[in-house]
């Protein structure tokens, strides 16, 4: 029987460690934002990985940056090729060092924030944008949010605060058909969170507030 | 009827005023709010602009809520008007939302209100027309249309 789950609950380093220590021969499939990644284990060693366009160690590094995504581990499946020869322990250590070094990269700067926000039920997508409507970071690269609309909402939010002699609202919730858009700020940056329309604001907003701290 | 409905909302504990604005941002009815009409009109304008912005993208806004530390502005939006409520406590928000839904449905069925409204409304995007928008808004709107 395949082991299935989400990286939100079980991180990739733990998954790799588990399979290697159990001396498994298996295929690990990860799906994130419509893209698929694969890690193959052979008798407890990581022997091959793919995450388009990367293969081998580079694919492992890329996969380790994912903070969410469905995974499946299927036992007994052998790798189609051997592209990794490093011991799994060294592979993981090198990859995690590389991740630490790249923490300042704009692309990954908000990964931990996204990770925290995705623990809140109903969060579908997160976009950090500036007042000109340019994307700073986004939790999903395959989705193109209406950045100019977000900037327009941000502008109106500021003016609403002005009209009432107050600051910009801490949270703005907009219900649109099947979605709720939550606008807020994080470290003086603007954040748009797309959520399922069924969420209860009274429950979700305190959790979002906590995740944004 | 409209006045009675607004009074009912305003009598809820923690509610500090309620008003109705047409989609031209004209304040038609208000109860309890301490703000000047010019302030309410300005507030309504920006609320309706958010709704109109989504409308440009083919999306219909039905509810808008603004949260500050100790202030909540809860809005229900229809095609022709907005019902805006000021509230000072989060404890009654669930009940307030239900009450506002009932009020919206009663207003939509009220023949007198609907008849009066007909002569005061415009198309949804009226609020985005020049010259009332500033250059920053104009620049962003250019990309939305």
């Amino acid at each position: 029987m395949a082991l299935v789950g989400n990286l939100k609950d079980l991180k990739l380093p733990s998954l790799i460690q588990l399979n290697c220590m159990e001396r498994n021969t298996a295929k690990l499939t990860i799906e994130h934002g419509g893209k698929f990644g694969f890690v193959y284990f052979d008798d407890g060693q990581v022997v091959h990985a793919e995450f388009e366009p990367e293969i081998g160690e580079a694919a492992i590094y890329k996969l380790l940056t994912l903070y969410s995504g469905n995974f499946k581990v299927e036992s007994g499946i052998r790798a189609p090729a051997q592209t990794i020869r490093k011991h799994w322990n060294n592979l993981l250590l090198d990859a995690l060092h590389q991740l630490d070094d790249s923490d300042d990269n704009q692309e990954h700067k908000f990964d931990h924030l996204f990770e925290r926000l995705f623990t809140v039920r109903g969060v579908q997508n997160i976009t950090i944008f500036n007042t000109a409507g340019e994307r700073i970071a986004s939790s999903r690269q395959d989705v193109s949010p209406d950045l100019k609309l977000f900037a327009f909402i941000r502008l109106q939010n500021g003016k609403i605060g002005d009209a009432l002699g107050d600051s910009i609202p801490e949270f703005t919730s907009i219900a649109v058909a099947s979605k709720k858009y939550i606008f807020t700020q994080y470290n003086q940056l603007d954040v748009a969170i797309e959520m399922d329309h069924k969420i209860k604001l009274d429950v979700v907003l305190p959790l979002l507030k906590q995740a944004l701290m | 009827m409209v006045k009675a409905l607004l009074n009912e909302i305003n009598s809820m504990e923690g509610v500090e005023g309620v008003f109705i604005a047409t989609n031209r941002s004209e304040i038609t009815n208000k109860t309890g709010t301490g703000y000047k009409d010019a302030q309410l009109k300005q507030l309504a304008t920006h609320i309706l602009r958010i709704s109109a912005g989504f409308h440009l993208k083919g999306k219909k806004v039905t509810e808008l809520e603004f949260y500050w530390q100790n202030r909540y502005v809860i809005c229900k939006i229809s095609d022709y008007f907005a019902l805006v409520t000021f509230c000072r406590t989060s404890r009654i928000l669930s009940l307030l939302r239900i009450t506002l839904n009932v009020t919206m449905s009663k207003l939509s069925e009220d023949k007198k209100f609907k008849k009066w409204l007909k002569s005061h409304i415009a198309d949804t995007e009226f609020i985005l027309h020049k010259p009332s928008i500033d250059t920053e808004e104009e620049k962003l709107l250019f990309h939305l249309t």
Side-chain angles (χ1 to χ4, degrees):
Chain A
M1 202 173 103
L3 169 69
V4 292
N6 196 292
L7 293 182
K8 278 193 260 183
D9 308 313
L10 189 57
K11 302 285 173 226
L12 185 56
S14 308
L15 263 175
I16 292 176
Q17 225 166 353
L18 191 76
N19 280 286
C20 292
M21 289 173 79
E22 298 272 330
R23 301 186 72 87
N24 281 348
T25 295
K27 176 188 177 186
L28 163 64
T29 306
I30 295 164
E31 186 270 321
H32 176 84
K35 273 180 79 178
F36 286 88
F38 307 98
V39 181
Y40 288 87
F41 302 90
D42 196 322
D43 194 25
Q45 286 301 323
V46 178
V47 291
H48 178 60
E50 297 173 23
F51 191 46
E52 217 179 320
E54 314 289 354
I55 60 163
E57 286 182 34
I60 291 283
Y61 297 156
K62 272 271 177 220
L63 284 167
L64 280 167
T65 65
L66 302 181
Y67 41 86
S68 70
N70 294 319
F71 70 77
K72 181 167 75 174
V73 182
E74 296 164 284
S75 293
I77 300 182
R78 290 196 179 275
Q82 182 162 10
T83 54
I84 300 170
R85 292 179 192 279
K86 221 179 238 181
H87 189 274
W88 71 268
N89 228 334
N90 296 332
L91 177 74
L92 260 188
L93 279 175
D94 288 351
L96 292 171
H97 274 307
Q98 196 158 321
L99 269 182
D100 282 346
D101 292 343
S102 67
D103 248 9
D104 290 336
N105 284 354
Q106 197 73 323
E107 197 185 339
H108 302 297
K109 202 173 168 183
F110 301 101
D111 283 2
H112 295 300
L113 171 69
F114 294 160
E115 199 175 317
R116 291 200 302 274
L117 286 169
F118 271 116
T119 61
V120 181
R121 208 187 174 100
V123 172
Q124 294 174 340
N125 193 22
I126 307 148
T127 308
I128 299 175
F129 61 98
N130 64 18
T131 49
E134 291 158 343
R135 187 202 310 242
I136 294 172
S138 182
S139 63
R140 286 183 63 178
Q141 300 304 322
D142 58 321
V143 177
S144 304
D146 285 321
L147 290 161
K148 298 294 176 191
L149 176 63
F150 288 178
F152 183 73
I153 307 303
R154 159 67 179 83
L155 185 60
Q156 300 307 321
N157 272 338
K159 287 172 186 265
I160 283 168
D162 291 344
L164 298 176
D166 212 326
S167 56
I168 188 166
E170 192 178 1
F171 288 102
T172 296
S173 162
I174 304 170
V176 181
S178 60
K179 268 185 189 165
K180 269 203 176 94
Y181 291 86
I182 310 282
F183 289 83
T184 187
Q185 287 83 48
Y186 174 74
N187 288 347
Q188 294 179 323
L189 292 167
D190 290 290
V191 185
I193 306 168
E194 287 168 57
M195 304 198 73
D196 188 282
H197 75 289
K198 287 180 186 159
I199 54 137
K200 299 265 179 243
L201 282 171
D202 304 339
V203 175
V204 158
L205 290 186
L207 297 175
L208 291 180
K209 204 171 178 173
Q210 206 174 358
L212 287 159
M213 285 206 300
Chain B
M1 159 108 168
V2 179
K3 200 170 170 47
L5 288 170
L6 296 195
N7 281 340
E8 194 182 328
I9 297 166
N10 197 48
S11 66
M12 292 175 73
E13 190 201 339
V15 171
E16 290 195 325
V18 53
F19 72 92
I20 293 174
T22 66
N23 62 5
R24 288 171 179 264
S25 78
E26 284 169 4
I27 312 303
T28 65
N29 303 79
K30 64 168 187 172
T31 306
T33 155
Y35 295 105
K36 291 176 185 159
D37 275 5
Q39 266 181 301
L40 296 182
K41 188 178 167 65
Q42 205 185 339
L43 173 67
T45 300
H46 300 302
I47 288 171
L48 291 161
R49 278 189 188 152
I50 291 178
S51 175
F54 274 96
H55 189 264
L56 285 176
K57 287 287 176 185
K59 292 170 181 170
K60 192 179 169 184
V61 173
T62 51
E63 291 165 15
L64 272 160
E65 301 193 2
F66 304 92
Y67 292 69
W68 287 266
Q69 202 65 41
N70 292 306
R71 174 190 278 157
Y72 308 88
V73 177
I74 312 294
C75 320
K76 294 280 172 191
I77 312 278
S78 85
D79 288 338
Y80 307 118
F81 68 96
L83 176 64
V84 183
T85 310
F86 298 95
C87 184
R88 277 282 174 193
T89 171
S90 62
R91 277 180 298 137
I92 60 141
L93 290 180
S94 297
L95 180 63
L96 179 61
R97 288 186 195 108
I98 296 168
T99 311
L100 294 179
N101 280 339
V102 173
T103 307
M104 285 299 275
S105 110
K106 282 183 181 167
L107 285 172
S108 306
E109 285 164 11
D110 186 72
K111 283 181 187 162
K112 211 171 149 191
F113 179 68
K114 269 164 70 179
K115 195 178 167 190
W116 180 88
L117 203 59
K118 258 186 186 170
S119 54
H120 287 78
I121 53 169
D123 66 274
T124 313
E125 286 152 27
F126 170 86
I127 204 77
L128 301 176
H129 293 174
K130 289 180 194 175
S132 62
I133 55 165
D134 64 26
T135 49
E136 210 175 343
E137 289 171 312
E138 196 181 338
K139 222 187 287 175
L140 290 167
L141 280 172
F142 173 77
H143 295 280
L144 296 183
T145 47

